[in-house]
């Protein structure tokens, strides 16, 4: 009988551990909810849809009260944003920060689980010296406003960067920030370190493939089997672009003395449709990238420089934003349609956490891809429309084009022994983990049955 109770206790502890792991594995999957569109469903419908998925966090570019209110009592973490245009006033006037907080946070918190206030979006890539200089004072005033109402330790203050803040990202071990913004960036990072807020950034392997559309680059970007790329500095072999870009950011932070600052991926995604002259957009590629990324995060493998953990990652995006300017791809990142159905299935539904993804990368047709690999010139940087932050009334601001990183960060890098072996996808790894859990549960149950 004692053995039976002991085995039963072990089994229940195992079940509890498994449930905690599963819950934790979903906690870092977020999504961007942009509003540069005229066909979006009601916020209440979106909140209900999110609750049917494993998405646990939402990033808003503004502070639309209707959306914040709709997410009340859902347990979903919310990132909200201060518009770039509000930064100068917030920097110069503490009362402006207090007023912003009174209007956009206090009426909803804590029922609406606001976790981060991003002051500005990709400000350090605007080349607007006045705006860049005002960013840190604005963040400090927002932090002071939060402290005054005793929620400064509960809601973090940060800002979101594009990969253009990186001077070097290939190989990952040589990752460094642009020295032209070094002093300003150091001040921001000191703020992140002092307050425990994350360094939020937007890596897009899609742009790396767009600038180097070879078949092996596509497989590398989509987490699919490939030869890997070896970092000449660290000798680490990387098998996917996401890990390489994240580790380049980690290296840059470490080089500046900010090893303690957490990285958050504020945006990443892949368009499912593009113009005839665009290389890379397709349903198959979007499904492979997003689906394999989710499997990678759930596997808890981490990156070679940050093994055994997964960074908070906000997928781009909830819906297409049909009013965005630029090529078709800019309006084709949505994982869900306005009628609330999936654009394609990547296993986000709570009813189905399996990730169905194609086994082989979809190479572009001859008329789409150049005959020879394209190496962008040193001055070339991909440009992507930044979803404008909403003002305090929730009205989208005018779309602004901001340069994004030259992701030709042909990252390289093999995974360490703690990582997945080359040729084994993250989806396969997750399946193996699930199988192991099933087998272990059967082993634990079997002695119990013998004593019944």
């Amino acid at each position: 009988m004692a053995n039976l109770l002991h085995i039963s206790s072990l089994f229940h502890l195992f079940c509890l551990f498994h449930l905690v792991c599963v819950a934790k594995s979903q906690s870092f999957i977020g999504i961007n909810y942009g509003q540069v569109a005229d066909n979006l469903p009601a916020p209440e419908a979106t909140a209900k849809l999110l609750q049917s998925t494993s998405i646990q966090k939402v990033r808003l570019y503004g502070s639309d009260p209707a959306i914040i209110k709709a997410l009340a009592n859902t347990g979903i973490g919310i990132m909200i944003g201060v518009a770039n245009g509000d930064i100068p006033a917030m920097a110069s006037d503490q009362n402006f920060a207090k007023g912003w907080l009174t209007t956009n946070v206090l009426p909803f918190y804590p029922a609406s689980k606001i976790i981060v206030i991003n002051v500005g979006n990709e400000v350090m890539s605007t080349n607007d010296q006045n705006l860049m200089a005002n960013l840190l004072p604005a963040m400090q005033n927002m932090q002071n406003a939060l402290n005054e109402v005793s929620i400064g330790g509960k809601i973090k203050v940060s800002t979101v960067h594009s990969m253009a803040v990186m001077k070097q990202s290939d190989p990952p071990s040589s990752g460094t920030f642009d020295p032209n913004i070094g002093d300003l960036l150091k001040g921001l990072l000191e703020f992140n370190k002092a307050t425990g807020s994350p360094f939020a950034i937007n890596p897009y392997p899609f742009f790396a493939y767009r600038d180097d559309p070879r078949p092996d680059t596509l497989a590398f970007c989509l987490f699919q089997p490939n030869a890997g790329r070896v970092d000449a500095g660290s000798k680490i072999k990387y098998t996917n672009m996401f890990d390489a870009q994240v580790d380049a950011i980690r290296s840059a932070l470490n080089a500046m003395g900010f090893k303690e600052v957490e990285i958050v991926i504020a945006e990443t995604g892949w368009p499912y449709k593009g113009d005839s002259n665009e290389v890379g957009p397709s349903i198959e590629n979007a499904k492979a990238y997003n689906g394999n990324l989710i499997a990678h995060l759930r596997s808890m493998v981490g990156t070679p420089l940050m093994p055994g953990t997964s960074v908070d990652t906000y997928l781009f995006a909830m819906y297409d934003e049909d009013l965005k300017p630029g090529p078709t791809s800019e309006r084709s990142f949505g994982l869900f349609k306005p009628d609330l159905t999936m654009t394609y299935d990547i296993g986000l539904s709570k009813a189905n956490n399996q990730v169905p993804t194609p086994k082989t990368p979809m190479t572009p047709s001859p008329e789409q891809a150049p005959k020879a690999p394209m190496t962008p010139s040193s001055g070339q940087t991909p440009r992507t429309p930044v979803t404008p932050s909403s003002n305090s009334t929730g009205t989208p601001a005018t779309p602004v084009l901001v340069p994004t990183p030259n992701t030709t960060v042909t990252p390289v890098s093999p995974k360490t022994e703690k990582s997945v072996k080359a040729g084994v996808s993250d989806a396969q790894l997750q399946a193996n983990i699930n199988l192991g859990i099933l087998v272990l549960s059967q082993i634990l149950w079997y002695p119990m049955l013998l004593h019944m």
Side-chain angles (χ1 to χ4, degrees), residues 26-32 54-59 265 297 312-316 335 348:
Q26 312 300 304
S27 68
F28 35 68
I29 299 175
I31 198 162
N32 285 267
S54 54
I55 295 168
Q56 292 295 307
K57 296 176 182 177
V58 171
R59 178 190 170 203
I265 305 306
L297 295 172
D312 281 7
T313 300
Y314 291 75
L315 303 172
F316 190 84
L335 297 178
L348 286 174

Side-chain angles (χ1 to χ4, degrees), residues 163-448:
M163 283 287 285
V165 299
M166 301 288 293
K167 177 189 177 183
Q168 178 83 20
S169 54
D170 176 27
S173 63
S174 68
T176 51
F177 292 117
D178 182 353
N180 294 320
I181 58 172
D183 290 341
L184 291 173
L185 201 55
K186 184 178 180 182
L188 296 173
L189 288 169
E190 287 174 343
F191 176 89
N192 290 141
K193 180 179 177 180
T195 63
S197 65
F199 179 80
I201 193 164
N202 302 335
Y204 277 90
F206 166 68
F207 292 126
Y209 175 63
R210 187 182 71 179
D211 293 327
D212 181 15
R214 294 172 292 172
D216 63 317
T217 302
L218 183 59
F220 188 66
C221 288
L222 299 182
F223 298 86
Q224 293 176 326
N226 63 89
R229 300 181 181 185
V230 177
D231 184 320
S234 66
K235 307 306 179 185
I236 294 173
K237 182 180 180 184
Y238 285 81
T239 57
N240 69 79
M241 182 72 79
F242 180 83
D243 281 356
Q245 289 184 326
V246 172
D247 274 0
I249 298 162
R250 183 73 272 163
S251 294
L253 289 170
N254 293 353
M256 286 188 70
F258 295 99
K259 295 182 179 180
E260 308 91 339
V261 174
E262 174 192 4
I263 296 171
V264 164
I265 305 306
E267 284 181 30
T268 191
W270 198 286
Y272 65 85
K273 183 171 62 176
D275 295 322
S276 59
N277 63 343
E278 291 190 84
V279 179
S282 72
I283 286 281
E284 292 80 5
N285 290 345
K287 184 176 181 179
Y289 177 73
N290 287 311
N292 286 335
L293 172 59
I294 289 171
H296 184 53
L297 295 172
R298 286 174 174 163
S299 74
M300 295 295 290
V301 169
T303 72
L305 295 187
M306 296 182 290
T309 187
S310 291
V311 297
D312 281 7
T313 300
Y314 291 75
L315 303 172
F316 190 84
M318 187 78 195
Y319 303 111
D320 289 343
E321 295 176 86
D322 65 336
L323 298 182
K324 273 191 170 182
T328 297
S329 60
E330 291 293 345
R331 297 178 292 280
S332 306
F333 279 86
L335 297 178
F336 297 93
K337 299 176 183 178
D339 65 3
L340 307 179
T341 60
M342 291 181 289
T343 306
Y344 48 88
D345 186 5
I346 53 172
L348 286 174
S349 171
K350 286 181 179 177
N352 173 26
N353 278 334
Q354 297 301 315
V355 182
T357 51
K359 294 182 180 179
T360 56
M362 297 294 295
T363 53
S365 60
E367 63 270 19
Q368 287 181 312
K371 294 181 180 179
M374 259 182 359
T375 303
S377 63
S378 57
Q380 179 185 3
T381 39
R383 294 171 65 84
T384 180
V386 175
T387 309
S389 301
S390 301
N391 58 25
S392 59
T393 61
T395 305
T398 306
V400 179
L401 282 175
V402 178
T404 344
N406 193 334
T407 354
T408 317
V409 1
T410 312
V412 242
S413 36
K415 302 193 173 203
T416 58
E417 289 183 357
K418 293 184 180 180
S419 322
V420 189
K421 293 182 180 179
V424 180
S425 71
D426 293 300
Q428 289 173 316
L429 178 65
Q430 184 64 40
N432 291 342
I433 292 172
N434 292 340
L435 179 59
I437 290 169
L438 178 63
V439 171
L440 182 57
S441 67
Q442 295 299 316
I443 292 172
L444 289 170
W445 265 113
Y446 182 68
M448 293 176 63

Side-chain angles (χ1 to χ4, degrees), residues 41-105:
E44 294 78 10
T46 297
K48 186 174 181 181
L49 171 62
L50 286 168
Q51 288 180 286
S52 71
T53 72
S54 54
I55 295 168
Q56 292 295 307
K57 296 176 182 177
V58 171
R59 178 190 170 203
L60 306 181
Y61 292 83
S63 52
D64 188 325
I67 298 175
I68 297 173
K69 186 176 181 180
L71 292 170
N73 304 311
T74 61
I76 295 172
I78 311 167
M79 270 190 174
I80 61 175
V82 175
N84 288 4
D86 286 339
I87 289 175
M90 186 170 289
S92 62
D93 186 359
Q94 177 70 55
N95 288 326
F96 185 94
K98 292 180 182 179
W100 195 96
L101 195 66
T102 299
T103 300
N104 299 294
V105 175

Side-chain angles (χ1 to χ4, degrees), residues 128-150:
D128 183 330
Q129 297 302 313
N130 181 59
L131 193 65
M132 292 161 66
N134 278 307
L135 179 56
L136 179 57
M139 291 169 64
Q140 291 170 331
N141 280 343
M142 177 59 76
Q143 183 68 50
N144 291 337
L146 287 166
N147 291 343
E148 285 189 16
V149 291
S150 302

